[in-house]
Amino acid sequence: MNPESAVVELAEPYLRGLLASAGLDVEYVRGEGNTLYRRDANGRETPVLDYAGGYGSLIFGHNNPEIVARARELLDGSVPVHAQFSAHPYATRLAAELNRIIHRELGVDEPYYATFANSGAEAIEAAVKHAELDRVLRQGEALEELAGGTERARAAVADGSATVPDAVYAHLGTARPAGDPLAPVIEEITRRNGERAAREPVFLALEGGFHGKLMGSVQLTHNEAYRTPFAALGVRARFVPRGSAEALERVRAEERGVLLGLDVDNGEVRVVEREHPVFGAFLLEPVQGEGGIQPLSDQDARIIQEFADAHDCPLVIDEIQSGLGRTGSLLASSQMGLRGDYFALAKSLGGGLAKASVMLVRETRYRAQFELVHSSTFAKDAFSCHIALKVLEMLDRDGGRAFRQATERGTALQTMLEKVRTSFPDVVKEVRGRGLMLGFEFHDQSEAEHPAIREAAGGGLFGYVIAGHLLNRHSIRTFPTASAVNTLRFEPSVLLTDEEIGRLEEALTDVCVILREQAGERLVLS
Ligand code: F0G
């Protein structure tokens, strides 16, 4: 008996059952490059070509020898992994390296300060928390400045150097009192400012976006199934479609408001207004990953950037999946003319061995006190920082050869996917993506002739069934994007060979023939 089968599954048994239904619950025992080895029924290792690439965390493949050698060196050298609250030159170097490359890509020299974390969702939450701290402080600064003016007005009225015109009462909807002419005015301003300042911040995010599944970040993730049960726990988000300046303007008109104060102008008191900073941030992925591999167009990017600039709304650019070379640059957004106030990086930052993420915030937004209120036991540890430094070195060496390789290999892969689409336009709807972040979308099969195909599509499992066939029939591993299950995603490493592309072509062609011929009985799911 397989000793593993004797153990009751208590580690997410339901999920395991779902995977089993499409023959995806295999055990991988070894990985190198783009290959994972599964154990077959006879205990032998069988190679599987891995296009899932650790959900985008393996830009240099499984157990890249150079990264593994660096890890060995660190462990053999007894590097103190957990030395919290000490000087941390490796983190300093990592932040500097990230800045060097980001400055080059964005053509700016403003520093980005780094806060380290352990997972993608954590980096997003760090950015959201920082943005909220900054918003609360900006709001406080605005209120303080307004209060200063109100105090000047009060003093001027008291010493007779200013009067209160009717317009002030009209503006605030109060009546001129018999006594102190400013008493009801200041009371009304205080009430309105209090009400305004107590409003929850609004975070904008794109429809189809994915930013993690923690309590805060899941509210910024569009998929309702993930989000709505936990709505009471998190931040208030408003989702906007890509490419619609009008939609953004509508949301702004609904949410905006002003903070009030008084000032003296030519011996008369007047009401002054400051825009209330109600928007915490605008979150976006340059290429949506989990939502179906949807790149922003240059026009989409321009609309977002213009909105952010016009309304002082910080941009949090989630490069967790698209960053670190996957689309041919450290930041996919740098190819779209986007300038983040914040960037979040994770996944490949850990080189496939460490769990590491980082939130970067530009100096003009940076609030030093954040460092005292946000931390994690495990963040900024020596092991993950040293590994991340190795990843950056490998990306940037030889004039950025790995970046160019991602672009070139991505083009080769995309060309093949397009070729399959052209041969099967009745089956394949679209090929999308950039670099080594590609999606292959099938036409909806919920009305398919073959019952197995139709039922899989009806149950939202179509992509998983296709993934099961690719694995069990062709030894190719990939998955649909979880929120768009008709789209398979391909995120191999930069080591991708023409032979590997050829194997995928053969396998996808087989899938397309099965779907065209509605030969569901030919699907191999175990
Ligand atoms: N942001 C993006 C763009 C992501 O793709 C992910 C994870 C996260 C944040 C959260 O990162 O899992 O480390 O907390 N995406 C995976 C996916 C799960 O399906 O692409 P995490």
Side-chain angles (χ1 to χ4, degrees), residues 32 35 41 56 95 114 124 136 168 175 204 206 223 261 269 271-272 279 288 311 338 370 424 433 435 474 517 521:
E32 53 188 24
T35 305
I124 290 296
V136 166
V168 168
L204 299 172
L206 290 180
N223 186 321
V269 171
V271 178
V272 292
F279 292 111
Q288 291 184 338
H311 306 299
L338 280 167
F370 187 70
F424 296 90
H474 296 281
E517 296 176 0
E521 69 287 350

PDB file of all heavy atoms in Angstrom, residues 32 35 41 56 95 114 124 136 168 175 204 206 223 261 269 271-272 279 288 311 338 370 424 433 435 474 517 521:
ATOM      1  N   GLU A  32      13.228  20.662 -11.574  1.00  0.00           N
ATOM      2  CA  GLU A  32      14.398  21.397 -12.074  1.00  0.00           C
ATOM      3  C   GLU A  32      13.998  22.099 -13.371  1.00  0.00           C
ATOM      4  O   GLU A  32      13.307  21.522 -14.207  1.00  0.00           O
ATOM      5  CB  GLU A  32      15.607  20.472 -12.275  1.00  0.00           C
ATOM      6  CG  GLU A  32      15.311  19.266 -13.121  1.00  0.00           C
ATOM      7  CD  GLU A  32      16.467  18.262 -13.157  1.00  0.00           C
ATOM      8  OE1 GLU A  32      17.280  18.240 -12.225  1.00  0.00           O
ATOM      9  OE2 GLU A  32      16.534  17.518 -14.144  1.00  0.00           O
ATOM     10  N   THR A  35      10.787  21.592 -15.470  1.00  0.00           N
ATOM     11  CA  THR A  35      10.307  20.211 -15.320  1.00  0.00           C
ATOM     12  C   THR A  35      10.049  19.871 -13.862  1.00  0.00           C
ATOM     13  O   THR A  35      10.866  20.145 -12.990  1.00  0.00           O
ATOM     14  CB  THR A  35      11.349  19.216 -15.890  1.00  0.00           C
ATOM     15  OG1 THR A  35      11.628  19.585 -17.248  1.00  0.00           O
ATOM     16  CG2 THR A  35      10.826  17.787 -15.863  1.00  0.00           C
ATOM     17  N   ALA A  41       2.453   5.162 -10.552  1.00  0.00           N
ATOM     18  CA  ALA A  41       1.924   4.085  -9.712  1.00  0.00           C
ATOM     19  C   ALA A  41       3.020   3.094  -9.304  1.00  0.00           C
ATOM     20  O   ALA A  41       2.937   2.456  -8.250  1.00  0.00           O
ATOM     21  CB  ALA A  41       0.806   3.360 -10.471  1.00  0.00           C
ATOM     22  N   GLY A  56       3.765  31.848 -11.421  1.00  0.00           N
ATOM     23  CA  GLY A  56       4.558  33.032 -11.766  1.00  0.00           C
ATOM     24  C   GLY A  56       5.701  33.318 -10.805  1.00  0.00           C
ATOM     25  O   GLY A  56       6.305  34.391 -10.862  1.00  0.00           O
ATOM     26  N   ALA A  95      17.257  47.014  -1.458  1.00  0.00           N
ATOM     27  CA  ALA A  95      16.448  48.213  -1.747  1.00  0.00           C
ATOM     28  C   ALA A  95      17.178  49.092  -2.768  1.00  0.00           C
ATOM     29  O   ALA A  95      16.563  49.649  -3.688  1.00  0.00           O
ATOM     30  CB  ALA A  95      16.171  48.981  -0.465  1.00  0.00           C
ATOM     31  N   ALA A 114      11.698  50.984   0.906  1.00  0.00           N
ATOM     32  CA  ALA A 114      11.238  49.589   0.893  1.00  0.00           C
ATOM     33  C   ALA A 114      10.757  49.130   2.258  1.00  0.00           C
ATOM     34  O   ALA A 114      11.410  49.372   3.268  1.00  0.00           O
ATOM     35  CB  ALA A 114      12.384  48.688   0.435  1.00  0.00           C
ATOM     36  N   ILE A 124       0.771  43.988  -0.495  1.00  0.00           N
ATOM     37  CA  ILE A 124      -0.368  44.837  -0.841  1.00  0.00           C
ATOM     38  C   ILE A 124      -0.936  45.486   0.417  1.00  0.00           C
ATOM     39  O   ILE A 124      -1.226  46.692   0.451  1.00  0.00           O
ATOM     40  CB  ILE A 124      -1.461  43.998  -1.559  1.00  0.00           C
ATOM     41  CG1 ILE A 124      -0.990  43.583  -2.949  1.00  0.00           C
ATOM     42  CG2 ILE A 124      -2.785  44.754  -1.640  1.00  0.00           C
ATOM     43  CD1 ILE A 124      -0.758  44.717  -3.922  1.00  0.00           C
ATOM     44  N   VAL A 136      -4.556  59.782   6.297  1.00  0.00           N
ATOM     45  CA  VAL A 136      -5.001  60.302   7.599  1.00  0.00           C
ATOM     46  C   VAL A 136      -4.121  61.491   7.999  1.00  0.00           C
ATOM     47  O   VAL A 136      -4.612  62.506   8.501  1.00  0.00           O
ATOM     48  CB  VAL A 136      -4.965  59.177   8.661  1.00  0.00           C
ATOM     49  CG1 VAL A 136      -5.086  59.740  10.066  1.00  0.00           C
ATOM     50  CG2 VAL A 136      -6.067  58.166   8.387  1.00  0.00           C
ATOM     51  N   VAL A 168     -21.427  84.170   4.228  1.00  0.00           N
ATOM     52  CA  VAL A 168     -20.883  83.106   5.077  1.00  0.00           C
ATOM     53  C   VAL A 168     -22.030  82.261   5.645  1.00  0.00           C
ATOM     54  O   VAL A 168     -21.991  81.029   5.619  1.00  0.00           O
ATOM     55  CB  VAL A 168     -20.029  83.706   6.224  1.00  0.00           C
ATOM     56  CG1 VAL A 168     -19.706  82.662   7.288  1.00  0.00           C
ATOM     57  CG2 VAL A 168     -18.737  84.295   5.649  1.00  0.00           C
ATOM     58  N   ALA A 175     -28.182  80.792  10.361  1.00  0.00           N
ATOM     59  CA  ALA A 175     -28.720  82.159  10.462  1.00  0.00           C
ATOM     60  C   ALA A 175     -27.761  83.026  11.260  1.00  0.00           C
ATOM     61  O   ALA A 175     -26.993  82.523  12.096  1.00  0.00           O
ATOM     62  CB  ALA A 175     -30.075  82.122  11.141  1.00  0.00           C
ATOM     63  N   LEU A 204      -9.876  52.416  -4.821  1.00  0.00           N
ATOM     64  CA  LEU A 204     -10.324  52.081  -6.171  1.00  0.00           C
ATOM     65  C   LEU A 204      -9.524  50.884  -6.669  1.00  0.00           C
ATOM     66  O   LEU A 204      -8.316  50.782  -6.397  1.00  0.00           O
ATOM     67  CB  LEU A 204     -10.099  53.270  -7.104  1.00  0.00           C
ATOM     68  CG  LEU A 204     -10.853  54.546  -6.726  1.00  0.00           C
ATOM     69  CD1 LEU A 204     -10.399  55.700  -7.607  1.00  0.00           C
ATOM     70  CD2 LEU A 204     -12.353  54.327  -6.862  1.00  0.00           C
ATOM     71  N   LEU A 206      -9.491  47.765 -10.079  1.00  0.00           N
ATOM     72  CA  LEU A 206     -10.053  47.445 -11.396  1.00  0.00           C
ATOM     73  C   LEU A 206     -10.922  46.193 -11.347  1.00  0.00           C
ATOM     74  O   LEU A 206     -10.626  45.238 -10.616  1.00  0.00           O
ATOM     75  CB  LEU A 206      -8.933  47.230 -12.416  1.00  0.00           C
ATOM     76  CG  LEU A 206      -8.150  48.461 -12.828  1.00  0.00           C
ATOM     77  CD1 LEU A 206      -7.071  48.078 -13.843  1.00  0.00           C
ATOM     78  CD2 LEU A 206      -9.065  49.531 -13.410  1.00  0.00           C
ATOM     79  N   ASN A 223     -13.190  39.214  -7.644  1.00  0.00           N
ATOM     80  CA  ASN A 223     -14.020  38.003  -7.606  1.00  0.00           C
ATOM     81  C   ASN A 223     -14.900  37.973  -6.351  1.00  0.00           C
ATOM     82  O   ASN A 223     -14.417  37.912  -5.224  1.00  0.00           O
ATOM     83  CB  ASN A 223     -13.086  36.789  -7.639  1.00  0.00           C
ATOM     84  CG  ASN A 223     -13.835  35.486  -7.746  1.00  0.00           C
ATOM     85  OD1 ASN A 223     -14.887  35.301  -7.148  1.00  0.00           O
ATOM     86  ND2 ASN A 223     -13.275  34.554  -8.511  1.00  0.00           N
ATOM     87  N   GLY A 261     -13.103  75.711   6.341  1.00  0.00           N
ATOM     88  CA  GLY A 261     -12.471  76.572   7.329  1.00  0.00           C
ATOM     89  C   GLY A 261     -12.860  78.007   7.022  1.00  0.00           C
ATOM     90  O   GLY A 261     -13.666  78.260   6.118  1.00  0.00           O
ATOM     91  N   VAL A 269     -14.806  88.080   6.640  1.00  0.00           N
ATOM     92  CA  VAL A 269     -14.598  86.637   6.840  1.00  0.00           C
ATOM     93  C   VAL A 269     -15.149  85.906   5.619  1.00  0.00           C
ATOM     94  O   VAL A 269     -16.173  86.300   5.060  1.00  0.00           O
ATOM     95  CB  VAL A 269     -15.335  86.184   8.121  1.00  0.00           C
ATOM     96  CG1 VAL A 269     -15.313  84.655   8.232  1.00  0.00           C
ATOM     97  CG2 VAL A 269     -14.688  86.808   9.360  1.00  0.00           C
ATOM     98  N   VAL A 271     -15.569  81.742   3.786  1.00  0.00           N
ATOM     99  CA  VAL A 271     -15.427  80.295   3.976  1.00  0.00           C
ATOM    100  C   VAL A 271     -14.415  79.767   2.962  1.00  0.00           C
ATOM    101  O   VAL A 271     -14.461  80.151   1.796  1.00  0.00           O
ATOM    102  CB  VAL A 271     -16.788  79.586   3.756  1.00  0.00           C
ATOM    103  CG1 VAL A 271     -16.627  78.063   3.901  1.00  0.00           C
ATOM    104  CG2 VAL A 271     -17.825  80.105   4.740  1.00  0.00           C
ATOM    105  N   VAL A 272     -13.490  78.944   3.430  1.00  0.00           N
ATOM    106  CA  VAL A 272     -12.556  78.321   2.473  1.00  0.00           C
ATOM    107  C   VAL A 272     -12.764  76.797   2.467  1.00  0.00           C
ATOM    108  O   VAL A 272     -13.164  76.218   3.481  1.00  0.00           O
ATOM    109  CB  VAL A 272     -11.070  78.643   2.774  1.00  0.00           C
ATOM    110  CG1 VAL A 272     -10.759  80.102   2.532  1.00  0.00           C
ATOM    111  CG2 VAL A 272     -10.679  78.253   4.170  1.00  0.00           C
ATOM    112  N   PHE A 279      -9.817  59.367  -1.191  1.00  0.00           N
ATOM    113  CA  PHE A 279      -9.317  58.171  -1.875  1.00  0.00           C
ATOM    114  C   PHE A 279      -8.026  57.679  -1.224  1.00  0.00           C
ATOM    115  O   PHE A 279      -7.040  58.415  -1.146  1.00  0.00           O
ATOM    116  CB  PHE A 279      -9.080  58.456  -3.358  1.00  0.00           C
ATOM    117  CG  PHE A 279     -10.376  58.685  -4.095  1.00  0.00           C
ATOM    118  CD1 PHE A 279     -10.709  59.935  -4.577  1.00  0.00           C
ATOM    119  CD2 PHE A 279     -11.278  57.639  -4.252  1.00  0.00           C
ATOM    120  CE1 PHE A 279     -11.920  60.149  -5.229  1.00  0.00           C
ATOM    121  CE2 PHE A 279     -12.496  57.834  -4.897  1.00  0.00           C
ATOM    122  CZ  PHE A 279     -12.811  59.094  -5.385  1.00  0.00           C
ATOM    123  N   GLN A 288      -3.398  41.843 -15.669  1.00  0.00           N
ATOM    124  CA  GLN A 288      -4.156  41.076 -14.683  1.00  0.00           C
ATOM    125  C   GLN A 288      -3.828  39.610 -14.871  1.00  0.00           C
ATOM    126  O   GLN A 288      -3.860  39.096 -15.994  1.00  0.00           O
ATOM    127  CB  GLN A 288      -5.653  41.319 -14.854  1.00  0.00           C
ATOM    128  CG  GLN A 288      -6.035  42.738 -14.468  1.00  0.00           C
ATOM    129  CD  GLN A 288      -7.529  42.996 -14.525  1.00  0.00           C
ATOM    130  OE1 GLN A 288      -8.261  42.292 -15.202  1.00  0.00           O
ATOM    131  NE2 GLN A 288      -7.967  44.025 -13.808  1.00  0.00           N
ATOM    132  N   HIS A 311      -6.175  64.064  -9.190  1.00  0.00           N
ATOM    133  CA  HIS A 311      -6.889  64.058  -7.911  1.00  0.00           C
ATOM    134  C   HIS A 311      -6.027  63.601  -6.744  1.00  0.00           C
ATOM    135  O   HIS A 311      -6.553  63.205  -5.708  1.00  0.00           O
ATOM    136  CB  HIS A 311      -8.152  63.199  -8.037  1.00  0.00           C
ATOM    137  CG  HIS A 311      -9.018  63.641  -9.182  1.00  0.00           C
ATOM    138  ND1 HIS A 311      -9.563  64.899  -9.235  1.00  0.00           N
ATOM    139  CD2 HIS A 311      -9.368  63.022 -10.336  1.00  0.00           C
ATOM    140  CE1 HIS A 311     -10.236  65.027 -10.372  1.00  0.00           C
ATOM    141  NE2 HIS A 311     -10.124  63.910 -11.068  1.00  0.00           N
ATOM    142  N   LEU A 338       3.281  54.084 -16.878  1.00  0.00           N
ATOM    143  CA  LEU A 338       2.686  54.284 -15.552  1.00  0.00           C
ATOM    144  C   LEU A 338       3.777  54.593 -14.538  1.00  0.00           C
ATOM    145  O   LEU A 338       4.855  53.995 -14.567  1.00  0.00           O
ATOM    146  CB  LEU A 338       1.950  53.020 -15.110  1.00  0.00           C
ATOM    147  CG  LEU A 338       0.551  52.791 -15.675  1.00  0.00           C
ATOM    148  CD1 LEU A 338       0.104  51.369 -15.386  1.00  0.00           C
ATOM    149  CD2 LEU A 338      -0.440  53.803 -15.092  1.00  0.00           C
ATOM    150  N   PHE A 370       5.751  55.006   9.566  1.00  0.00           N
ATOM    151  CA  PHE A 370       5.199  53.701   9.184  1.00  0.00           C
ATOM    152  C   PHE A 370       6.106  52.568   9.673  1.00  0.00           C
ATOM    153  O   PHE A 370       5.640  51.496  10.048  1.00  0.00           O
ATOM    154  CB  PHE A 370       5.032  53.628   7.656  1.00  0.00           C
ATOM    155  CG  PHE A 370       4.321  52.389   7.194  1.00  0.00           C
ATOM    156  CD1 PHE A 370       2.970  52.214   7.447  1.00  0.00           C
ATOM    157  CD2 PHE A 370       5.002  51.393   6.500  1.00  0.00           C
ATOM    158  CE1 PHE A 370       2.296  51.059   7.022  1.00  0.00           C
ATOM    159  CE2 PHE A 370       4.343  50.247   6.062  1.00  0.00           C
ATOM    160  CZ  PHE A 370       2.994  50.082   6.328  1.00  0.00           C
ATOM    161  N   PHE A 424      -7.711  26.896 -35.139  1.00  0.00           N
ATOM    162  CA  PHE A 424      -8.961  26.493 -34.476  1.00  0.00           C
ATOM    163  C   PHE A 424      -9.757  27.716 -33.997  1.00  0.00           C
ATOM    164  O   PHE A 424     -10.040  27.837 -32.804  1.00  0.00           O
ATOM    165  CB  PHE A 424      -8.650  25.582 -33.274  1.00  0.00           C
ATOM    166  CG  PHE A 424      -8.005  24.289 -33.652  1.00  0.00           C
ATOM    167  CD1 PHE A 424      -6.610  24.187 -33.718  1.00  0.00           C
ATOM    168  CD2 PHE A 424      -8.772  23.158 -33.942  1.00  0.00           C
ATOM    169  CE1 PHE A 424      -6.004  22.992 -34.065  1.00  0.00           C
ATOM    170  CE2 PHE A 424      -8.164  21.962 -34.294  1.00  0.00           C
ATOM    171  CZ  PHE A 424      -6.776  21.869 -34.362  1.00  0.00           C
ATOM    172  N   GLY A 433      -1.580  38.583 -23.587  1.00  0.00           N
ATOM    173  CA  GLY A 433      -0.520  38.665 -22.596  1.00  0.00           C
ATOM    174  C   GLY A 433       0.701  39.384 -23.103  1.00  0.00           C
ATOM    175  O   GLY A 433       0.708  39.949 -24.203  1.00  0.00           O
ATOM    176  N   GLY A 435       5.165  39.035 -22.842  1.00  0.00           N
ATOM    177  CA  GLY A 435       6.329  38.260 -22.397  1.00  0.00           C
ATOM    178  C   GLY A 435       5.929  36.847 -22.024  1.00  0.00           C
ATOM    179  O   GLY A 435       5.174  36.178 -22.737  1.00  0.00           O
ATOM    180  N   HIS A 474      -0.626  14.400 -21.715  1.00  0.00           N
ATOM    181  CA  HIS A 474       0.554  15.003 -22.363  1.00  0.00           C
ATOM    182  C   HIS A 474       1.694  15.345 -21.403  1.00  0.00           C
ATOM    183  O   HIS A 474       2.705  15.897 -21.827  1.00  0.00           O
ATOM    184  CB  HIS A 474       0.139  16.274 -23.115  1.00  0.00           C
ATOM    185  CG  HIS A 474      -0.810  16.015 -24.236  1.00  0.00           C
ATOM    186  ND1 HIS A 474      -0.411  15.544 -25.464  1.00  0.00           N
ATOM    187  CD2 HIS A 474      -2.164  16.126 -24.303  1.00  0.00           C
ATOM    188  CE1 HIS A 474      -1.464  15.399 -26.260  1.00  0.00           C
ATOM    189  NE2 HIS A 474      -2.549  15.743 -25.571  1.00  0.00           N
ATOM    190  N   GLU A 517     -14.218  18.241 -32.388  1.00  0.00           N
ATOM    191  CA  GLU A 517     -14.972  17.022 -32.719  1.00  0.00           C
ATOM    192  C   GLU A 517     -15.935  16.623 -31.618  1.00  0.00           C
ATOM    193  O   GLU A 517     -16.626  15.613 -31.721  1.00  0.00           O
ATOM    194  CB  GLU A 517     -13.982  15.888 -33.021  1.00  0.00           C
ATOM    195  CG  GLU A 517     -13.146  16.189 -34.260  1.00  0.00           C
ATOM    196  CD  GLU A 517     -12.087  15.125 -34.547  1.00  0.00           C
ATOM    197  OE1 GLU A 517     -12.003  14.131 -33.778  1.00  0.00           O
ATOM    198  OE2 GLU A 517     -11.347  15.293 -35.534  1.00  0.00           O
ATOM    199  N   GLU A 521     -15.065  11.872 -24.770  1.00  0.00           N
ATOM    200  CA  GLU A 521     -14.623  10.569 -24.239  1.00  0.00           C
ATOM    201  C   GLU A 521     -13.112  10.382 -24.396  1.00  0.00           C
ATOM    202  O   GLU A 521     -12.525   9.508 -23.758  1.00  0.00           O
ATOM    203  CB  GLU A 521     -15.404   9.420 -24.915  1.00  0.00           C
ATOM    204  CG  GLU A 521     -15.101   9.179 -26.395  1.00  0.00           C
ATOM    205  CD  GLU A 521     -15.677  10.250 -27.338  1.00  0.00           C
ATOM    206  OE1 GLU A 521     -16.476  11.094 -26.883  1.00  0.00           O
ATOM    207  OE2 GLU A 521     -15.305  10.238 -28.538  1.00  0.00           O
TER     208      GLU A 521
END
